Amino acid sequence: QEQLVESGGGLVQPGGSLRLSCAASGFTFSRYWMYWVRQAPGKGLEFVAGIDNDAYKTSYEDFAKGRFTISRDNAKNSLDLQMNSLQSDDTAVYYCAKDRFTYVPSVRPGTSPKFTDFHSRGQGTQVTVSS
């Protein structure tokens, strides 16, 4: 059974950093693009970052460029998101998500994704940026 489990969320002050992690199981992790997406209260789902199956290519939404870094370790079936210079607008539930297809990305930045655009996602981890 496929499972994605996020961790690492919490309360952080503006300007601070957090590192989110996602543990994947139940599928061949190394075959899929993986993503971080987020949903703030009362808002739609937002693309944050994506990474190809071999960790050679990454993609970021504009707000994440220069502040967030997505990475993966296929040997450990893990996906990470390092977030620096956090702002109050970054407050959201962050989800780890798996592409529907192997080896090619079907979700890109600059779009308004839906949960149904992904094959599966985790339960989410809350990130709150507040002083």
Side-chain angles (χ1 to χ4, degrees), residues 70-129:
I70 188 171
S71 61
R72 67 190 294 163
D73 185 337
N74 286 346
K76 297 181 179 179
N77 288 355
S78 66
L79 178 74
D80 288 345
L81 184 69
Q82 176 67 41
M83 303 187 295
N84 299 326
S85 303
L86 285 162
Q87 306 162 5
S88 58
D89 288 350
D90 296 316
T91 295
V93 178
Y94 285 72
Y95 298 90
C96 165
K98 172 195 169 192
D99 203 288
R100 291 178 293 166
F101 307 108
T102 55
Y103 304 116
V104 294
S106 61
V107 186
R108 301 183 186 276
T111 62
S112 299
K114 302 179 293 295
F115 283 125
T116 51
D117 291 333
F118 304 96
H119 183 277
S120 55
R121 61 174 172 95
Q123 83 289 348
T125 186
Q126 176 70 49
V127 172
T128 302
V129 185

Side-chain angles (χ1 to χ4, degrees), residues 3-7 21-25 76-79 96:
Q3 198 169 18
L4 297 169
V5 180
E6 301 95 338
S7 61
S21 294
C22 173
S25 60
K76 297 181 179 179
N77 288 355
S78 66
L79 178 74
C96 165

